[in-house]
């Protein structure tokens, strides 16, 4: 049997992967020490949830919860610990972090795995700029743990010892695609035709039935993301409000959201929010996303009413989800995410 076809548990293949796995252990220990030193509490969140999350394109694993009386209720494996973490903020926790096993269906590539680890942390009553500083420090700590300041992936090199470049989405569209994004963005809705024609004029393939979000994503994937985190990390911030997810509007410009993503070597590592605490607005977004999911995929996920109730009493906060396996992969020099997992999911 060739090495490439051997199972992950074969001694030869495990020996090849073991340096990556030991690097994983060192990195996790160093990051735990970082949070503990800053008065964060490590929490554990339940995997079984009433709702797996309500973003349109997320695909969840569904199951059933059977009660002692035989009654059955639908449940899902969570795609993020976010809902539970925010309930803990509502309960009174001020700083918390978790290494959460999460599950997303339909995802298996060099950078994706159906079961993976998200490192999430939250700061109550602190702005999302604090999370940007955290990211800079965490990258430096990770580099120290593996003894390598430069991270390599896909032919790209990123010096994580350099301060990240902070770039707005609008600035990135202008620099890498030559598109004035904000000409198509409004606080109450986007101008699909303006963005569609701008993308077409720049040679980006667009279809007649593409909506604004379709064109936005295509420009991001084809023109913007390949340039991010090259040479030094990139913090891409101020997403259009329609792409806010669970982030709140920027107080000085409601057309954009307090959302940023961290990129290293053209790989998205983290997604952060100044957290939305307006339960009515969050419900509106959930319903809109689920209507779109039903239109595209013919299914919808329930809304976690308990989560919306918690938002009413949750303090202002900032939170971030970082792909821990991706971080290890980049830091250790692995080529695939499965190389840094102790036991990958069977294909």
């Amino acid at each position: 049997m060739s090495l490439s076809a051997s199972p992950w548990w074969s001694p030869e293949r495990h020996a090849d992967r073991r340096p990556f796995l030991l690097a994983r252990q060192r990195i996790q220990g160093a990051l735990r020490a970082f949070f503990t030193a800053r008065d964060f509490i490590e929490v554990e969140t339940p995997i079984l949830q009433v709702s797996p999350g309500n973003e349109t394109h997320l695909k969840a694993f569904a199951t059933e919860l059977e009660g002692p009386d035989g009654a059955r209720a639908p449940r899902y494996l969570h795609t993020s610990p976010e809902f539970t973490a925010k309930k803990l903020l509502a309960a009174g926790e001020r700083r918390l972090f978790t290494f959460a096993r999460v599950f997303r269906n339909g995802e298996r590539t060099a950078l994706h795995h159906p079961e993976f680890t998200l490192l999430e942390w939250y700061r109550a009553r602190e702005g999302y700029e604090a999370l940007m500083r955290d990211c800079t420090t965490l990258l430096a700590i990770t580099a120290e743990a593996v003894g390598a300041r430069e991270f390599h992936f896909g032919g790209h090199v990123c010096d994580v010892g350099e301060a990240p470049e902070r770039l707005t989405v609008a600035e990135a569209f202008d620099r890498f695609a030559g598109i004035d994004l904000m000409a198509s963005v409004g606080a109450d809705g986007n101008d699909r035709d303006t963005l569609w024609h701008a993308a077409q004029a720049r040679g980006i393939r667009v279809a007649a039935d593409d909506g604004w979000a379709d064109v936005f994503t295509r420009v991001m994937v084809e023109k913007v993301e390949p340039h991010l985190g090259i040479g030094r990390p990139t913090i891409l911030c101020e997403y259009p409000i329609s792409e806010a997810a669970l982030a709140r509007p920027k107080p000085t410009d409601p057309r954009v959201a307090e959302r940023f993503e961290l990129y290293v070597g053209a790989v998205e590592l983290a997604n952060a929010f100044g957290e939305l605490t307006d339960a009515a607005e969050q419900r509106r977004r959930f319903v809109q996303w689920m209507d779109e999911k039903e239109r595209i995929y013919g299914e919808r996920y329930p809304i976690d009413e308990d989560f919306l109730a918690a938002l009413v009493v949750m303090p202002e906060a900032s939170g971030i989800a970082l792909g821990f396996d991706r971080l290890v992969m980049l830091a250790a020099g692995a080529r695939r995410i499965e190389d840094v997992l102790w036991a990958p999911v069977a294909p």
Side-chain angles (χ1 to χ4, degrees):
M1 179 181 291
S2 68
L3 183 61
S4 61
S6 61
W8 62 263
W9 47 262
S10 69
E12 298 83 4
R13 190 170 178 187
H14 183 70
D16 288 340
R17 297 192 316 120
R18 195 166 188 270
F20 302 141
L21 301 173
L22 296 180
R24 179 189 185 100
Q25 184 178 39
R26 293 195 302 273
I27 293 168
Q28 190 169 37
L31 297 186
R32 276 200 168 103
F34 164 84
F35 287 113
T36 300
R38 287 157 180 80
D39 296 323
F40 281 78
I41 298 295
E42 183 169 9
V43 302
E44 297 175 344
T45 59
I47 290 170
L48 283 178
Q49 294 288 326
V50 169
S51 173
N54 296 101
E55 295 182 41
T56 300
H57 301 292
L58 284 181
K59 296 181 179 179
F61 290 90
T63 186
E64 285 187 325
L65 180 65
E66 183 176 347
D69 61 354
R72 295 176 178 271
R75 291 292 183 268
Y76 299 87
L77 308 189
H78 67 178
T79 58
S80 162
E82 181 172 7
F83 288 1
T84 302
K86 290 180 179 178
K87 292 174 186 179
L88 289 168
L89 293 178
E93 294 298 337
R94 295 292 301 273
R95 292 182 176 182
L96 62 89
F97 76 101
T98 182
F99 287 92
R101 305 293 292 185
V102 298
F103 304 83
R104 298 185 184 181
N105 214 344
E107 297 188 4
R108 192 160 198 158
T109 70
L111 289 169
H112 299 86
H113 199 70
E115 179 180 350
F116 61 102
T117 299
L118 280 179
L119 167 58
E120 294 202 6
W121 69 97
Y122 294 81
R123 291 176 173 269
R125 298 183 176 87
E126 296 182 76
Y128 83 149
E129 291 82 2
L131 302 178
M132 297 181 186
R133 295 189 291 271
D134 287 342
C135 287
T136 301
T137 305
L138 261 62
L139 288 175
I141 290 172
T142 300
E144 183 178 1
V146 297
R149 177 168 159 158
E150 292 185 344
F151 292 1
H152 299 256
F153 185 76
H156 300 303
V157 179
C158 182
D159 184 345
V160 299
E162 294 285 336
E165 179 182 20
R166 184 167 172 174
L167 192 66
T168 69
V169 176
E171 290 168 341
F173 267 60
D174 179 58
R175 180 187 300 182
F176 302 122
I179 291 174
D180 180 1
L181 175 66
M182 298 311 292
S184 73
V185 174
D188 299 317
N190 298 326
D191 185 336
R192 175 264 185 194
D193 290 347
T194 296
L195 185 59
W196 192 95
H197 287 294
Q200 186 184 55
R202 292 297 176 179
I204 298 168
R205 177 181 55 83
V206 289
D209 61 348
D210 278 344
W212 186 95
D214 300 314
V215 180
F216 174 85
T217 300
R218 192 161 293 124
V219 176
M220 280 286 294
V221 171
E222 294 182 9
K223 298 295 185 180
V224 175
E225 287 185 325
H227 300 282
L228 302 180
I230 308 301
R232 61 171 169 159
T234 300
I235 289 175
L236 187 70
C237 60
E238 297 186 14
Y239 277 69
I241 194 64
S242 60
E243 308 303 304
L246 281 75
R248 64 192 175 205
K250 183 180 179 182
T252 57
D253 186 354
R255 297 177 301 165
V256 298
E258 288 191 346
R259 176 186 176 188
F260 77 81
E261 292 189 327
L262 172 68
Y263 284 83
V264 170
V267 175
E268 177 203 336
L269 271 187
N271 187 23
F273 305 144
E275 301 292 357
L276 181 67
T277 55
D278 182 336
E281 169 59 16
Q282 190 64 79
R283 180 187 298 278
R284 186 195 67 79
R285 293 184 191 179
F286 283 168
V287 171
Q288 179 184 22
W289 300 338
M290 290 300 92
D291 287 347
E292 183 70 359
K293 185 178 190 69
E294 191 166 37
R295 182 186 69 81
I296 297 171
Y297 303 111
E299 66 172 341
R300 61 193 303 132
Y301 298 144
I303 291 174
D304 184 344
E305 296 292 343
D306 195 47
F307 168 66
L308 294 179
L311 279 188
V312 176
V313 298
M314 185 184 121
E316 289 192 359
S318 58
I320 183 168
L322 182 146
F324 179 66
D325 310 297
R326 287 187 181 184
L327 176 65
V328 174
M329 184 182 69
L330 295 178
R335 291 183 298 176
R336 295 182 58 84
I337 200 166
E338 292 190 4
D339 290 336
V340 302
L341 303 178
W342 282 96
V345 172

